[in-house]
């Protein structure tokens, strides 16, 4: 159970008693990759520039969440957040915020890593604490097939640069898809052990723009853990609200995470909320309804008015998604438009 801290407005509680502590902010719907499980090769419609929140608008909303509504960590995502010019400036603005009891806001980033070798140091010095890099294959030909870009080495260099600059932890997100990259699970485990990075294996979710996801393509987290445990023995690590179930190598060589969003949803423990690059507030990755914050923000709403809207939206948060059930409704936005 989360300890509820006192803020002027918050905390953000829903009818099931869950408290939101983590805010995911998408800062762009654009990307320099075209991962097959996320974006189509061509034809993606992007939001016009003026529809994206500016850094100043993002910071105003983040300040409200952090100072008034109990949010303790912010993760920047997209699309690919590093394609937004001067990202370090936003990191600087956000990392200057602190919670009412004086703790600095924890700012992290999810990136495809393609430009991290160039930017890791500046981002770190601008206040970035931690980074998750997405990487689904360690084989150049397959990396190209999945991302439709031939830049595996850039991503590997980016991961090394992130570790070298002191971002901590550096995690590597691997979406495992049946008959696509499941044969690399052990290679990834070995890579993570060698580099000192935590590999987080993510179950494939029905958020691909192509709409071709099937349950048969999901490799259950349990199967992933069993495959690794057979070669590198593991033990479970007790965990709280975070979605990854963590497993530690018995020989002390680090740990892995698995994110069983499909086979074992963690909705009952969910502590996160989201905002898209256009300022739509979502209480769930799979939410089919959203709250527009950009309109009121640009229309002169006060902080108290914005806070009331946000609190009402969180209060109505549903119990959870229903992937794999007959009544599951796919959200109209795909992963890159929401912010994963
Ligand atoms: N571009 C950045 C990146 O790839 O890390 C940030 C945005 S991306 C949408 C965030 C995360 O969502 C990545 O780890 C990506 O692998 C994951 N993702 C994208 N589509 C997915 C899907 N259909 N199922 C599961 N994870 C997905
Ligand atoms: Fe881009 Fe990330 Fe989607 Fe790949 S997963 S297309 S890198 S937003």
């Amino acid at each position: 159970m989360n300890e509820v801290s006192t803020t002027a407005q918050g905390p953000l509680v829903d009818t099931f008693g869950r408290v939101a502590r983590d805010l995911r902010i998408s800062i762009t719907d654009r990307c320099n990759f075209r991962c097959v499980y996320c974006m189509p090769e061509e034809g993606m419609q992007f939001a016009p520039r003026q529809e994206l929140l500016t850094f100043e608008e993002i910071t105003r909303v983040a300040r409200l969440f952090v100072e008034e509504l109990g949010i303790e960590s912010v993760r920047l995502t997209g699309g690919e957040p590093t394609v937004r010019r001067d990202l370090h400036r936003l990191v600087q603005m956000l990392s200057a915020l602190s919670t009412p009891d004086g703790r600095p806001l924890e700012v992290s980033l999810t990136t495809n890593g393609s430009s991290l070798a160039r930017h890791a140091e500046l981002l770190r010095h601008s206040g970035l604490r931690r980074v998750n890099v997405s990487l689904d294959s360690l084989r150049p030909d397959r990396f190209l097939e999945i991302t439709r870009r031939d830049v595996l080495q850039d991503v590997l260099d980016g991961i090394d640069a992130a570790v070298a600059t002191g971002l901590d932890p550096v995690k590597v997100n691997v979406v495992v898809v049946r008959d696509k990259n499941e044969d690399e699970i052990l290679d990834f485990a070995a890579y993570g052990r060698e580099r000192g990075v935590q590999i987080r294996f993510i179950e494939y979710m029905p958020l691909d723009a192509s709409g071709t996801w099937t349950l048969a393509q999901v490799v259950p987290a349990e199967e992933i853990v069993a495959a690794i445990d057979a070669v590198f023995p593991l033990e479970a690590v007790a965990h709280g609200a975070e979605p990854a179930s963590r497993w530690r190598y018995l020989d002390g060589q680090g740990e892995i995470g698995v994110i069983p969003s499909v086979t074992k949803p963690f909705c009952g423990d969910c502590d996160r909320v989201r905002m898209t690059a256009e300022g739509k507030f979502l209480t769930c990755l799979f939410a089919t309804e959203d709250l527009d914050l950009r309109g009121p923000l640009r229309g002169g709403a006060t902080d108290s008015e914005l806070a009331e809207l946000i609190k009402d939206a969180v209060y109505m948060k549903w119990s959870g998604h229903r992937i794999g059930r007959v009544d599951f409704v796919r959200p109209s936005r795909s992963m890159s438009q929401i912010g994963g």
Side-chain angles (χ1 to χ4, degrees):
M1 187 76 181
N2 283 311
E3 194 179 309
V4 177
S5 63
T6 317
T7 54
Q9 289 277 355
L12 293 170
V13 189
D14 66 30
T15 45
F16 300 95
R18 294 170 298 189
V19 181
R21 294 288 179 205
D22 181 56
L23 172 66
R24 308 268 144 145
I25 303 179
S26 171
I27 61 169
T28 179
D29 56 351
R30 288 166 198 263
C31 185
N32 55 336
F33 284 16
R34 290 290 181 275
C35 302
V36 289
Y37 53 72
C38 181
M39 273 196 184
E41 184 159 23
E42 283 173 14
M44 193 78 192
Q45 297 292 313
F46 297 111
R49 185 63 212 252
Q50 67 277 12
E51 291 187 7
L52 304 188
L53 295 194
T54 63
F55 286 176
E56 286 68 25
E57 288 170 332
I58 292 171
T59 306
R60 173 168 173 214
V61 176
R63 179 187 300 281
L64 179 62
F65 272 105
V66 173
E67 293 183 355
E68 306 279 341
L69 296 170
I71 290 294
E72 296 171 350
S73 55
V74 161
R75 175 171 291 277
L76 299 176
T77 182
E80 173 50 38
T82 60
V83 302
R84 187 107 184 230
R85 182 139 38 100
D86 295 333
L87 170 62
H88 70 279
R89 204 168 61 81
L90 178 63
V91 170
Q92 244 166 17
M93 290 159 80
L94 293 176
S95 51
L97 302 177
S98 46
T99 62
D101 56 4
R103 276 172 297 148
L105 174 65
E106 189 179 287
V107 182
S108 59
L109 176 74
T110 300
T111 172
N112 64 29
S114 57
S115 66
L116 210 48
R118 275 177 281 135
H119 297 144
E121 188 136 353
L122 180 57
L123 289 169
R124 165 93 174 117
H125 287 120
S126 303
L128 189 70
R129 303 263 205 102
R130 40 204 290 168
V131 70
N132 285 15
V133 182
S134 305
L135 175 61
D136 307 306
S137 178
L138 294 164
R139 305 178 189 174
D141 53 338
R142 188 177 284 169
F143 179 94
L144 168 62
E145 197 183 302
I146 294 175
T147 64
R148 302 185 175 110
R149 298 292 183 268
D150 194 8
V151 294
L152 171 62
Q153 194 55 51
D154 292 348
V155 178
L156 295 174
D157 291 347
I159 293 169
D160 288 347
V163 172
T165 197
L167 288 167
D168 188 22
V170 175
K171 296 183 181 175
V172 173
N173 288 353
V174 182
V175 177
V176 187
V177 181
R178 182 78 76 201
D179 297 330
K180 182 75 82 181
N181 62 349
E182 64 183 302
D183 55 347
E184 288 191 62
I185 291 171
L186 285 176
D187 292 348
F188 269 109
Y191 169 80
R193 287 162 58 83
E194 182 193 310
R195 298 280 153 162
V197 295
Q198 188 197 116
I199 309 292
R200 290 162 28 113
F201 296 96
I202 302 174
E203 288 181 351
Y204 181 30
M205 293 181 267
L207 290 171
D208 53 317
S210 60
T212 58
W213 177 95
T214 63
L215 200 51
Q217 292 173 293
V218 178
V219 180
E222 223 169 81
E223 189 180 319
I224 296 169
V225 172
I228 297 174
D229 182 54
V231 179
F232 305 115
L234 292 163
E235 67 177 357
V237 179
H239 70 98
E242 61 177 299
S245 314
R246 289 160 53 204
W247 297 78
R248 176 188 306 128
Y249 291 113
L250 285 179
D251 65 6
Q253 288 256 57
E255 56 182 55
I256 61 160
V258 286
I259 309 198
S261 339
V262 177
T263 61
K264 277 197 198 136
F266 32 83
C267 307
D269 287 328
C270 180
D271 71 344
R272 61 188 51 182
V273 288
R274 300 170 184 272
M275 186 169 68
T276 71
E278 297 154 275
K280 303 278 192 211
F281 178 69
L282 300 169
T283 55
C284 174
L285 192 52
F286 294 92
T288 47
E289 287 175 18
D290 58 51
L291 166 70
D292 176 42
L293 291 177
R294 189 188 64 204
L297 200 58
R298 293 188 179 169
T302 63
D303 280 0
S304 316
E305 286 164 347
L306 288 171
E308 283 312 313
L309 291 172
I310 293 165
K311 281 165 63 179
D312 287 352
V314 172
Y315 190 68
M316 299 306 293
K317 177 166 173 160
W318 62 17
S319 59
H321 69 69
R322 307 181 68 79
I323 300 175
R325 314 245 187 123
V326 283
D327 53 352
F328 173 66
V329 180
R330 242 188 102 108
S332 57
R333 294 183 186 89
S334 56
M335 192 63 132
S336 64
Q337 296 166 317
I338 304 167

